[in-house]
Amino acid sequence: TYQGKRLKFLDIEVVDEALEPGKIHCEKHDILIGTSDGAIKLKLLQMEGKMALHTEAFIAGQPEFCQGSLPS
């Protein structure tokens, strides 16, 4: 969940990055989220009640997302 709403990851890619589980890291148009086995790169996500967005559009509308973490 993010801001009390469900967040769906509709398209992801497993990447070889070392991030703490739940830690969010943004680079330009990419969002990486740490997992217990490494990290995933988000490509398409959807916030509850909203339309699906590619990461670039999501970051533009929710820049504070890149400063936080998700529950693991």
Side-chain angles (χ1 to χ4, degrees), residues 47-67:
M47 201 171 199
E48 183 179 336
K50 304 286 185 176
M51 52 190 261
L53 298 172
H54 290 277
T55 53
E56 181 178 354
F58 187 83
I59 291 169
Q62 303 284 336
E64 67 281 354
F65 180 78
C66 295
Q67 309 301 317

Side-chain angles (χ1 to χ4, degrees), residues 4 22 24 36 43 46 52 60 63 68:
I24 300 169
S36 59
K43 296 181 174 188
Q46 182 178 16

Side-chain angles (χ1 to χ4, degrees), residues 17-60:
E17 293 281 337
L19 291 174
E20 295 176 37
K23 179 73 176 167
I24 300 169
H25 178 74
C26 297
E27 294 178 350
K28 294 190 180 189
H29 309 299
D30 293 332
I31 299 174
L32 303 177
I33 299 179
T35 70
S36 59
D37 295 327
I40 57 172
K41 179 169 140 179
L42 304 183
K43 296 181 174 188
L44 185 67
L45 58 162
Q46 182 178 16
M47 201 171 199
E48 183 179 336
K50 304 286 185 176
M51 52 190 261
L53 298 172
H54 290 277
T55 53
E56 181 178 354
F58 187 83
I59 291 169

